[in-house]
Amino acid sequence: MRTKFDEQLNQLNQELMHMGTMIEEQIQKAVVAFMKQDTELARIIMDNDTDVDREEKKIENICFNLLMQQQPVARDLRTISAAMKMVTDMERIGDHAADISEMTILIADNTYVKQLDHIQKMASETVQMLMKSIQAYVDKDMEAAKAIIKNDDVIDELFLEVKKDLIAMIHANADCGEQATDLLMVAKYFERIGDHATNIAEWVIFALDDKNREG
Amino acid sequence: MRTKFDEQLNQLNQELMHMGTMIEEQIQKAVVAFMKQDTELARIIMDNDTDVDREEKKIENICFNLLMQQQPVARDLRTISAAMKMVTDMERIGDHAADISEMTILIADNTYVKQLDHIQKMASETVQMLMKSIQAYVDKDMEAAKAIIKNDDVIDELFLEVKKDLIAMIHANADCGEQATDLLMVAKYFERIGDHATNIAEWVIFALDDKNREG
């Protein structure tokens, strides 16, 4: 019995890594589509979001089956509980890849009114953070997970930079208002992806630790 | 032993209802603040979001303790699993109350350029939907939960109406672009609250049913 349980636990692990790869790709493509104003790619990303959603439900079902078929020990319960919560953050990251792509399509008729240095920096920082959080899960590396949580400030500060940029842009030219608001939304989506990557790191710590989550 | 477990399960139920009430109030206040352009109330709502977040972690901890201290039967496992997922949707609804309030503050310097009939309708439909989904949980009412899921189309259609309104508004007066985008975001937040209320209803069904979630 235990062997079958371990097999399923192993499958859970594989599927989580698979979902991690899916959302990494979605975000990376979303950044490319956004920077190059590639609406065709943006549309593909939006379409692929249903695959991410399907994978979330698949993982949830594995978790429930694990909980229900066996009497898992405490350590397994932590792993399964963390997995159940992590997929929500992963799915949400997938949503934001689609959100960014929607914005890419919305703005596509106009060229960008300014260099997008800060947003680009935010994007690459966020992608890094996401990849590290999934790697920390794969490696069961608590120190790496803690480092990710510390790093979230960097994204928050970059968001404030972007905000300042865009407000300056509106002051210089009121006609830019609409695009500025759209770009602010894109920056906000990246900020949220950073938050979800932080959550993933917190769940990694929860899975490895033996304490409750901090309130 | 079983009595203590039942007590904790009962506490879980109470806390979920409490969190439901919290987010209902947050959303209702967010609608009032938005319609009346009441920035003071909007700020209070944003501040109160930390209470919602704290309640989420409290409920998660109860769930983990239930899973770990005892060997729950299948029905209990469904309840606990559903609770663990539901709180994420509830917390997210709380976030959107704060998001709407942030927009309220952002727009506050300008009066609304048009009657907000469709957004107001969306708001009241969404609040209704949320209240019904929490009630379905309290009553363990599968039929009510199914009816909520069916009703999500109404919100989606209202969102399309709002979008059409706002695009017409921009065409009539290009200066309205910024406010139109902001209002579109508010409408989008209501749409998402509708999605999360649908998720809550799906978790109610999962908790009462004996099948996996549909992929």
Side-chain angles (χ1 to χ4, degrees):
Chain A
M1 280 299 273
R2 182 72 202 172
T3 318
K4 201 194 158 205
F5 184 81
D6 285 340
E7 257 171 42
Q8 283 189 1
L9 212 54
N10 189 40
Q11 195 207 343
L12 173 62
N13 207 26
Q14 297 296 325
E15 295 291 347
L16 271 174
M17 285 189 241
H18 175 56
M19 189 168 174
T21 310
M22 280 173 106
I23 57 168
E24 273 174 25
E25 282 178 10
Q26 283 283 88
I27 290 294
Q28 280 173 326
K29 283 183 193 163
V31 173
V32 171
F34 171 70
M35 297 309 296
K36 296 192 175 170
Q37 300 202 291
D38 182 341
T39 54
E40 203 175 322
L41 182 57
R43 256 176 258 280
I44 292 169
I45 295 159
M46 290 179 75
D47 286 346
N48 287 350
D49 191 42
T50 49
D51 294 339
V52 178
D53 292 350
R54 209 174 300 124
E55 184 66 19
E56 182 198 22
K57 292 192 177 168
K58 187 175 178 183
I59 292 174
E60 283 170 354
N61 285 337
I62 296 173
C63 289
F64 296 134
N65 287 331
L66 275 167
L67 285 176
M68 279 170 208
Q69 283 174 25
Q70 311 268 344
Q71 303 290 21
V73 298
R75 167 57 41 109
D76 297 336
L77 279 173
R78 294 189 87 82
T79 307
I80 300 163
S81 306
M84 272 177 67
K85 301 295 285 191
M86 267 172 67
V87 288
T88 313
D89 288 298
M90 288 185 170
E91 188 265 340
R92 196 57 52 172
I93 290 172
D95 279 352
H96 289 325
D99 290 332
I100 291 166
S101 303
E102 197 180 355
M103 283 301 185
T104 299
I105 294 167
L106 208 69
I107 307 176
D109 289 340
N110 306 300
T111 51
Y112 292 126
V113 286
K114 72 179 290 294
Q115 286 285 317
L116 304 175
D117 299 341
H118 282 127
I119 291 189
Q120 197 163 11
K121 193 152 190 320
M122 250 189 117
S124 77
E125 284 283 342
T126 318
V127 170
Q128 282 296 316
M129 201 173 161
L130 172 61
M131 289 170 76
K132 281 181 191 163
S133 72
I134 290 165
Q135 197 57 45
Y137 169 79
V138 174
D139 300 340
K140 299 181 190 298
D141 185 340
M142 194 182 288
E143 291 315 307
K146 284 181 183 167
I148 292 157
I149 293 167
K150 258 191 175 164
N151 195 55
D152 191 37
D153 291 348
V154 176
I155 312 273
D156 292 344
E157 274 157 35
L158 278 168
F159 179 66
L160 292 180
E161 288 292 323
V162 172
K163 214 165 169 175
K164 220 165 60 184
D165 281 6
L166 294 173
I167 290 168
M169 185 173 123
I170 296 171
H171 277 295
N173 181 358
D175 291 342
C176 299
E178 201 181 338
Q179 189 177 116
T181 324
D182 292 343
L183 292 177
L184 191 62
M185 280 311 306
V186 171
K188 184 120 199 165
Y189 291 136
F190 281 116
E191 189 207 20
R192 296 233 161 136
I193 293 168
D195 289 343
H196 289 296
T198 305
N199 289 350
I200 292 173
E202 279 176 5
W203 289 115
V204 170
I205 293 170
F206 173 85
L208 299 174
D209 207 354
D210 55 3
K211 295 179 204 69
N212 274 340
R213 292 194 80 206
E214 278 159 46
Chain B
M1 282 295 277
R2 183 71 203 173
T3 317
K4 202 194 157 206
F5 184 81
D6 284 340
E7 257 171 42
Q8 284 189 2
L9 212 54
N10 189 38
Q11 194 205 343
L12 173 62
N13 208 24
Q14 296 297 324
E15 296 291 346
L16 271 174
M17 284 189 240
H18 175 55
M19 189 167 174
T21 310
M22 279 173 104
I23 57 169
E24 273 174 24
E25 282 178 12
Q26 283 282 90
I27 291 293
Q28 279 173 327
K29 283 182 191 163
V31 173
V32 172
F34 171 70
M35 296 311 296
K36 295 192 175 169
Q37 300 202 292
D38 182 342
T39 55
E40 204 175 321
L41 182 58
R43 256 176 257 279
I44 292 170
I45 294 159
M46 288 179 77
D47 287 345
N48 288 349
D49 190 42
T50 49
D51 295 337
V52 178
D53 292 350
R54 209 176 298 123
E55 184 66 19
E56 182 199 21
K57 291 192 178 171
K58 189 176 176 183
I59 292 174
E60 283 171 354
N61 285 336
I62 296 173
C63 289
F64 295 136
N65 287 331
L66 276 167
L67 284 176
M68 279 170 208
Q69 282 173 26
Q70 312 267 346
Q71 304 288 23
V73 299
R75 168 56 42 111
D76 296 336
L77 278 173
R78 294 189 87 82
T79 307
I80 300 164
S81 306
M84 272 177 65
K85 302 295 286 190
M86 266 172 69
V87 287
T88 312
D89 288 298
M90 288 185 170
E91 188 265 340
R92 195 58 52 170
I93 290 172
D95 280 352
H96 289 326
D99 290 333
I100 291 165
S101 302
E102 198 181 354
M103 283 299 187
T104 299
I105 293 168
L106 207 70
I107 308 176
D109 289 341
N110 306 298
T111 50
Y112 292 125
V113 287
K114 71 180 291 294
Q115 286 283 319
L116 304 175
D117 298 341
H118 281 126
I119 291 189
Q120 198 164 10
K121 192 147 192 319
M122 250 190 117
S124 76
E125 284 282 342
T126 317
V127 170
Q128 284 296 318
M129 201 173 161
L130 172 61
M131 290 170 74
K132 280 182 192 164
S133 72
I134 290 166
Q135 198 57 44
Y137 169 79
V138 174
D139 300 340
K140 299 181 190 298
D141 184 341
M142 193 180 290
E143 291 314 308
K146 284 180 183 167
I148 291 157
I149 293 168
K150 258 192 174 161
N151 195 53
D152 190 37
D153 291 349
V154 176
I155 312 272
D156 292 345
E157 274 157 34
L158 278 168
F159 179 65
L160 293 179
E161 288 290 324
V162 172
K163 214 164 168 176
K164 219 166 59 184
D165 279 6
L166 293 174
I167 290 169
M169 185 173 125
I170 297 172
H171 278 294
N173 181 359
D175 291 342
C176 299
E178 201 181 337
Q179 190 179 117
T181 324
D182 292 343
L183 292 176
L184 191 63
M185 279 311 307
V186 171
K188 184 119 200 164
Y189 291 135
F190 281 115
E191 189 207 20
R192 294 233 162 136
I193 294 168
D195 288 343
H196 289 295
T198 305
N199 289 350
I200 292 173
E202 280 177 4
W203 289 116
V204 170
I205 293 170
F206 173 84
L208 299 174
D209 209 352
D210 56 2
K211 295 181 202 71
N212 274 340
R213 292 192 82 207
E214 277 160 49

